[in-house]
């Protein structure tokens, strides 16, 4: 109404649009560096994934509610699902995803040189001491036998044995690692001798046979000889120390009459 008493009216329509109700899904965790996200679209809007975290993240398609994401580094990441209806109407929600590194189960086993010896098993994988270590000793006696180790393992009988390990940490289990350890047989030796025929002769001989251990063998006789068998020897007592390739020794001897 103006000063002259004239009046008029006008009408305008205002459309009010609700912000979208974004839902990024529930928090989760995974073993490894890949995860499939699961946002729930509110309908009638477009969405976009962004993130924060200790490394970089690559999305299969950052506008896909169920995008697969691969991160560069394990750790805790926050993924933000933002939906837009118009330029000024947006809604967002955040989901927390923890990426755990799957542990490895690698280990080394020292060789057993002599029968009755032992092997030292040393873990070389990526798990921490808080992980669960599932060892299989293949019938051996291990000390301490559980945990990260190192462990000292021995077997009663000669043969080849398989030590195996899987490791579980943060709900993630490694593939199995197996290492074979050989427990060598002990050395044995037998002597066949030939006595001299008459006093003062050098017609005696000793034939030595060695079994077990790890060839080749070395020989050290009490008369200074370093061969396996002795020929043309006089009467007397002869002893021999036999050493195999693993450094194990055994002693035998006989007398030539």
């Amino acid at each position: 109404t103006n000063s002259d008493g004239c009046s008029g009216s006008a009408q305008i329509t205002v459309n009010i649009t609700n912000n979208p109700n974004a839902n990024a899904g529930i928090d989760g965790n995974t073993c490894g560096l890949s995860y499939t996200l699961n946002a729930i679209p509110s309908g009638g809007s477009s969405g976009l994934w962004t993130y924060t975290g200790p490394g970089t993240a690559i999305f299969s398609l950052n506008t896909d509610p169920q995008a697969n994401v691969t991160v560069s580094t394990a750790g805790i990441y926050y993924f933000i699902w933002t939906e837009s209806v118009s330029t000024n109407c947006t809604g967002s929600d955040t989901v927390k995803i923890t990426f755990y590194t799957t542990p490895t189960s690698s280990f080394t086993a020292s060789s057993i040189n002599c029968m009755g010896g032992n092997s030292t098993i040393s873990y070389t994988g990526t798990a921490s001491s808080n992980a669960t270590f599932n060892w299989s000793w293949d019938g051996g006696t291990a000390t301490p036998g559980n945990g990260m180790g190192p462990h000292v393992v021995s077997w009663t009988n000669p043969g080849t044995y398989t030590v195996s390990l899987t490791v579980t940490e943060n709900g993630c289990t490694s593939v199995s690692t197996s290492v074979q350890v050989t427990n060598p047989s002990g050395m044995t030796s037998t002597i066949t001798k030939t006595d001299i025929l008459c006093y003062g002769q050098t017609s005696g001989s000793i034939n030595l046979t060695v079994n077990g251990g790890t060839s080749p063998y070395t020989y050290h006789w009490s008369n200074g000889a370093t061969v396996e068998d002795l020929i043309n020897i006089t009467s007397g007592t002869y002893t021999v120390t036999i050493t195999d390739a693993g450094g194990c020794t055994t002693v035998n001897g006989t007398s030539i009459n």
Side-chain angles (χ1 to χ4, degrees):
T1 302
N2 63 14
S3 59
D4 296 325
C6 301
S7 64
S9 65
Q11 181 176 336
I12 186 171
T13 301
V14 178
N15 294 320
I16 299 175
T17 303
N18 292 326
N19 287 329
N21 184 24
N23 185 343
I26 61 175
D27 296 345
N29 56 69
T30 187
C31 300
L33 300 178
S34 293
Y35 188 84
T36 298
L37 299 166
N38 191 28
I40 302 173
S42 58
S45 60
S46 60
L48 179 71
W49 286 108
T50 55
Y51 74 94
T52 61
T56 58
I58 298 175
F59 299 92
S60 58
L61 183 63
N62 64 355
T63 56
D64 182 359
Q66 283 79 45
N68 182 268
V69 61
T70 300
V71 300
S72 62
T73 305
I76 298 174
Y77 289 74
Y78 295 92
F79 295 96
I80 304 99
W81 174 248
T82 301
E83 294 185 357
S84 301
V85 175
S86 64
T87 303
N88 297 317
C89 298
T90 62
S92 63
D93 187 35
T94 300
V95 64
K96 172 185 172 183
I97 307 298
T98 303
F99 294 84
Y100 292 114
T101 300
T102 299
T104 59
S105 57
S106 57
F107 64 93
T108 61
S110 65
S111 299
I112 301 176
N113 293 326
C114 305
M115 183 178 179
N118 51 60
S119 175
T120 298
I121 308 296
S122 300
Y123 177 67
T124 57
T126 58
S128 73
S129 59
N130 295 322
T132 299
F133 294 83
N134 300 291
W135 294 96
S136 172
W137 304 115
D138 199 7
T141 301
T143 303
N146 53 63
M148 178 182 285
H151 306 277
V152 177
V153 190
S154 62
W155 290 268
T156 302
N157 299 317
T160 299
Y161 299 89
T162 301
V163 177
S164 300
L165 172 66
T166 58
V167 183
T168 301
E169 189 168 26
N170 296 316
C172 304
T173 300
S174 70
V175 297
S176 178
T177 295
S178 296
V179 174
Q180 289 190 325
V181 180
T182 298
N183 187 31
S185 59
M187 280 190 296
T188 60
S189 65
T190 57
I191 285 178
T192 302
K193 69 171 184 172
T194 300
D195 291 325
I196 62 175
L197 297 176
C198 301
Y199 178 78
Q201 289 184 341
T202 57
S203 57
S205 65
I206 297 175
N207 180 269
L208 175 67
T209 302
V210 181
N211 293 294
T214 305
S215 63
Y217 311 104
T218 59
Y219 312 92
H220 183 75
W221 289 91
S222 54
N223 67 346
T226 56
V227 294
E228 180 176 3
D229 303 319
L230 300 183
I231 59 174
N232 301 324
I233 54 176
T234 61
S235 61
T237 298
Y238 297 83
T239 60
V240 60
T241 299
I242 308 158
T243 304
D244 74 356
C248 311
T249 60
T250 187
V251 177
N252 204 345
T254 190
S255 294
I256 299 296
N257 301 315

